């Protein structure tokens, strides 16, 4: 089932998410619904807060980028109870433009570390402890930020945030267009 994407202004996007256990109700169905929602919205990542759930669950599909990044062919992963343990301070940072399904029409350059240490469980609740680098590290940081009540606009300069203030206000007022189902704060 395709679920609505929660848009900037929804309180759930600013609440920290909780770890879950294997007995979380209908987890398999929720993950399947998230995959369907992600495909419908043509995104590459989706965090549970973006569909109104404050749980530490993220899905990432980089297969859609495999034409430009062959190393991501068939890359589709589920991350449960995901946490960034540390950032590799010896690795460089990189500034790239990011967008977000919860911020339709807004794209800004965000500087992030290129290598991170993460701990998570897969959909079978097998634990993983890995160093991740490159584009996947960026996508994980973006999606895992949602689990910690952050959005990419929190990582841009105050000047850039001031310059997009009217776009953010339009999102709060429901004045935006996108091709996928959404849920926004009605004022």
């Amino acid at each position: 089932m395709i679920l609505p994407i929660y848009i900037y202004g929804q309180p759930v996007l600013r609440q920290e998410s909780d770890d879950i256990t294997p007995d979380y109700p209908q987890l398999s169905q929720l993950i399947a619904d998230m995959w369907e929602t992600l495909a419908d919205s043509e995104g590459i990542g989706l965090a549970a807060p973006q569909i109104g759930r404050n749980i530490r669950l993220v899905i990432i599909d980089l297969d859609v980028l495999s034409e430009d990044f062959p190393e991501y062919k068939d890359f589709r992963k589920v991350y449960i109870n995901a946490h960034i343990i540390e950032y590799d301070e010896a690795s460089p940072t990189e500034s790239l433009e990011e967008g977000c399904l919860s911020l339709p029409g807004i794209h800004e350059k965000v500087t992030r570390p290129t290598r991170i240490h993460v701990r998570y469980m897969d959909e079978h609740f097998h634990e993983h402890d890995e160093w991740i680098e490159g584009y996947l590290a960026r996508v994980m940081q973006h999606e895992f930020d949602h689990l910690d009540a952050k959005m990419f606009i929190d990582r841009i300069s105050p000047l850039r945030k001031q310059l997009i203030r009217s776009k953010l206000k339009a999102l709060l007022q429901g004045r935006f267009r996108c091709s996928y189902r959404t849920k926004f704060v009605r004022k």
Side-chain angles (χ1 to χ4, degrees):
M1 173 173 58
I2 296 171
L3 305 169
I5 304 285
Y6 282 53
I7 301 299
Y8 174 79
Q10 285 284 358
V12 69
L13 296 172
R14 295 304 193 173
Q15 297 166 358
E16 288 209 27
S17 297
D18 298 319
D19 283 351
I20 60 172
T21 58
D23 62 349
Y24 185 84
Q26 301 178 335
L27 181 60
S28 295
Q29 184 59 53
L30 177 61
I31 292 170
D33 290 346
M34 287 178 71
W35 283 121
E36 194 174 346
T37 301
L38 184 63
D40 180 69
S41 62
E42 298 180 0
I44 59 172
L46 185 64
Q50 293 180 276
I51 55 154
R53 303 276 184 103
N54 274 120
I55 59 173
R56 295 192 80 86
L57 171 62
V58 165
I59 61 169
I60 295 176
D61 180 358
L62 295 183
D63 183 61
V64 297
L65 305 175
S66 63
E67 200 169 289
D68 295 324
F69 299 96
E71 66 270 28
Y72 295 129
K73 181 80 177 129
D74 299 323
F75 186 99
R76 286 172 45 105
K77 276 193 160 185
V78 174
Y79 300 89
I80 297 171
N81 301 339
H83 295 272
I84 296 174
I85 305 305
E86 63 184 306
Y87 300 92
D88 183 353
E89 298 191 15
S91 72
T93 59
E94 185 176 43
S95 277
L96 290 175
E97 191 171 276
E98 293 186 19
C100 181
L101 296 173
S102 294
L103 293 157
I106 297 177
H107 297 85
E108 291 290 328
K109 277 197 170 194
V110 179
T111 301
R112 295 190 187 268
T114 57
R115 189 167 184 260
I116 58 173
H117 180 197
V118 297
R119 196 170 290 140
Y120 64 92
M121 295 184 179
D122 59 28
E123 65 269 31
H124 306 293
F125 278 82
H126 297 131
E127 191 168 354
H128 298 265
D129 188 319
E130 304 170 345
W131 280 94
I132 306 292
E133 56 188 87
Y135 193 70
L136 176 58
R138 170 171 295 276
V139 175
M140 288 173 107
Q141 288 173 78
H142 177 107
E143 297 304 332
F144 294 4
D145 271 356
H146 283 296
L147 305 178
D148 295 324
K150 293 183 178 77
M151 301 179 87
F152 83 85
I153 56 171
D154 301 329
R155 300 198 179 275
I156 62 176
S157 73
L159 175 62
R160 290 299 314 158
K161 198 158 185 183
Q162 183 66 26
L163 291 171
I164 64 167
R165 203 170 106 210
S166 64
K167 289 181 180 180
L168 294 173
K169 186 177 179 183
L171 292 176
L172 290 173
Q173 295 171 343
R175 292 186 294 112
F176 61 90
R177 290 167 59 162
C178 58
S179 61
Y180 46 88
R181 287 183 58 205
T182 61
K183 184 170 180 141
F184 59 92
V185 176
R186 297 187 192 279
K187 292 192 175 189

